[in-house]
Amino acid sequence: MVEANQSNLTEDEADLYDRQIRLWGLDSQKRLRASTVLLIGLKGLGAEFCKNVILAGIKAITLMDDGDSTQEDAFYQFLIPRDQIGKNRAAASHLRAQRLNPMVDVKVDKEGIDKKPDEFFTLFNVVVATDCNLEQLLRINKICHKANVKFYCADVFGFYGYLFADLQTHEYGEEKNVARNVAKETGNKKQKLEDVEFVKVTVKDTLQYSPLQDSLEVTEKIKEMPARKAADTIPFFLLKVLLKFRAEQGRNPQASSRVEDLELLKKLRDSEMKDIGLSAEKVPDEYLSSVFSQVSPICAILGGVLAHEVIKTLSQKGEPHNNFFFFNPVRNHGIVIKNC
């Protein structure tokens, strides 16, 4: 938990963040200004998330990516100048990220996550992992869960996107309208009548989260969801297929090898659904056809949702999602599913 009194705002900060303070309060902004974030992966989704949390006014963010930018990044990664294509993604993103808000300390780490000791991930208030394989995600989540570090993972595959949150035990406050009785006087000021008015009060609550490994298990709740809601679970099963594809191929489905990759996705879908005990029709072919490359609008949508969730978490203002958020590529809408 980030304490509000750990960071007093300067006059310049109070002026810069004035509208945000009016929106979520001074204590919440102080918590943001005391918070540090590790962002793993600087592709399209990472760039959108980076922009949003830097503008929100956190204390520091570390941009971590050991890969070099490619020509494909130019289509969705706006933090990398065209003349920096071919250089390390994190380093190439640094200057534009820093210019977004000079009051935020933007750092760069070009080392791979597999080279980092467990203690490294405990140095932050929130770890956000993108573009990682399942083995890496499970390792980082396990470390964060044990150390009580808030953990998010997210990715965009074409028109499809997801995010997952493990906030362990999370305390937050939420404004609610509460009815209370008030006394009203009549014209002669002798008789009093009972009346009701609604006032805003901050109600504190606590949520319990489960780690990623538990949440990825196919529960009976997911398998037996009523027919009218069963379509909402398609993105959950699609995620399992995509994580398996990334584990076996060491990459995401690519537009340059669309025909071959689509056949691989279908085989993995058929195998995965058979192991679960469901029909392959559970993930229709039209979903598999929409997961190639990264699409800028989807990066923007999911990056906005992800940043909003992290801001809620750090500021302790508002109820965060628990625990999956999916953007459905066919229905073009988002949905929250708790599978634990």
Side-chain angles (χ1 to χ4, degrees):
M1 181 187 299
V2 180
E3 297 297 334
N5 60 7
Q6 288 181 341
S7 178
N8 293 319
L9 301 186
T10 65
E11 290 185 10
D12 288 341
E13 289 173 332
D15 182 58
L16 178 62
Y17 304 126
D18 177 68
R19 287 188 296 177
Q20 295 172 190
I21 293 171
R22 294 173 186 272
L23 176 63
W24 51 55
L26 180 59
D27 283 348
S28 293
Q29 188 65 46
K30 286 182 177 180
R31 292 189 183 98
L32 284 175
R33 288 297 294 144
S35 300
T36 58
V37 175
L38 171 64
L39 169 61
I40 303 170
L42 266 297
K43 290 189 177 180
L45 175 59
E48 290 285 354
F49 169 78
C50 176
K51 172 198 69 177
N52 292 325
V53 294
I54 287 177
L55 291 174
I58 57 175
K59 178 182 179 180
I61 183 170
T62 296
L63 312 181
M64 187 176 187
D65 196 314
D66 63 345
D68 293 335
S69 57
T70 66
Q71 287 296 331
E72 187 178 3
D73 287 309
F75 293 103
Y76 47 69
Q77 220 287 25
F78 54 84
L79 292 178
I80 301 178
R82 293 297 178 95
D83 62 1
Q84 296 293 303
I85 296 296
K87 297 184 179 180
N88 175 269
R89 283 195 188 91
S93 302
H94 178 260
L95 182 58
R96 286 184 175 178
Q98 185 64 80
R99 285 176 175 173
L100 290 169
N101 189 345
M103 294 185 183
V104 175
D105 184 11
V106 181
K107 305 175 184 179
V108 169
D109 192 319
K110 297 188 288 185
E111 194 172 31
I113 57 178
D114 294 332
K115 297 180 180 179
K116 294 294 186 183
D118 291 0
E119 295 75 17
F120 171 78
F121 301 98
T122 68
L123 302 176
F124 306 89
N125 298 115
V126 171
V127 172
V128 178
T130 70
D131 200 35
C132 297
N133 61 47
L134 181 56
E135 183 179 355
Q136 292 168 331
L137 293 177
L138 294 178
R139 178 207 168 202
I140 299 170
N141 184 204
K142 184 177 180 180
I143 296 167
C144 291
H145 193 87
K146 184 178 180 180
N148 198 32
V149 173
K150 310 301 184 184
F151 171 82
Y152 283 88
C153 61
D155 264 308
V156 166
F157 301 83
F159 290 91
Y160 167 83
Y162 89 96
L163 71 83
F164 168 82
D166 176 12
L167 309 183
Q168 301 89 47
T169 300
H170 181 68
E171 298 176 358
Y172 67 97
E174 187 170 24
E175 284 191 349
K176 294 185 178 181
N177 290 321
V178 177
R180 71 177 183 183
N181 293 325
V182 294
K184 271 194 173 182
E185 295 184 351
T186 59
N188 57 21
K189 296 185 180 181
K190 291 183 180 180
Q191 185 179 6
K192 292 185 177 181
L193 301 175
E194 288 294 320
D195 200 357
V196 174
E197 68 175 5
F198 288 90
V199 295
K200 284 188 176 181
V201 298
T202 299
V203 179
K204 293 185 178 181
D205 206 346
T206 302
L207 288 173
Q208 297 292 333
Y209 288 73
S210 297
L212 179 63
Q213 186 163 17
D214 294 343
S215 300
L216 282 174
E217 294 295 326
V218 180
T219 63
E220 294 304 311
K221 169 186 172 183
I222 290 289
K223 292 175 66 173
E224 298 178 3
M225 188 168 283
R228 62 185 178 86
K229 291 186 177 181
D232 291 336
T233 66
I234 295 175
F236 172 82
F237 294 108
L238 179 57
L239 174 61
K240 295 183 72 67
V241 175
L242 289 168
L243 289 176
K244 196 167 186 178
F245 183 99
R246 180 182 284 175
E248 292 189 3
Q249 302 299 317
R251 59 176 176 83
N252 295 341
Q254 296 177 346
S256 59
S257 53
R258 180 183 178 88
V259 175
E260 298 84 354
D261 285 357
L262 186 56
E263 289 304 311
L264 285 172
L265 285 168
K266 289 179 181 179
K267 290 179 180 179
L268 289 174
R269 183 267 317 268
D270 295 348
S271 173
E272 186 71 18
M273 292 303 101
K274 183 177 180 181
D275 291 343
I276 295 171
L278 294 174
S279 168
E281 296 177 355
K282 183 64 181 175
V283 182
D285 288 354
E286 60 180 328
Y287 281 81
L288 299 179
S289 300
S290 62
V291 298
F292 292 87
S293 188
Q294 289 197 0
V295 179
S296 291
I298 308 304
C299 291
I301 291 170
L302 197 69
V305 175
L306 178 59
H308 187 214
E309 291 303 301
V310 170
I311 290 169
K312 284 194 292 184
T313 298
L314 292 172
S315 66
Q316 297 172 233
K317 184 78 170 183
E319 181 180 356
H321 293 333
N322 188 0
N323 49 11
F324 281 106
F325 171 87
F326 295 105
F327 186 80
N328 189 309
V330 174
R331 297 190 170 193
N332 291 319
H333 73 98
I335 185 171
V336 178
I337 293 180
K338 183 177 180 181
N339 185 41
C340 57

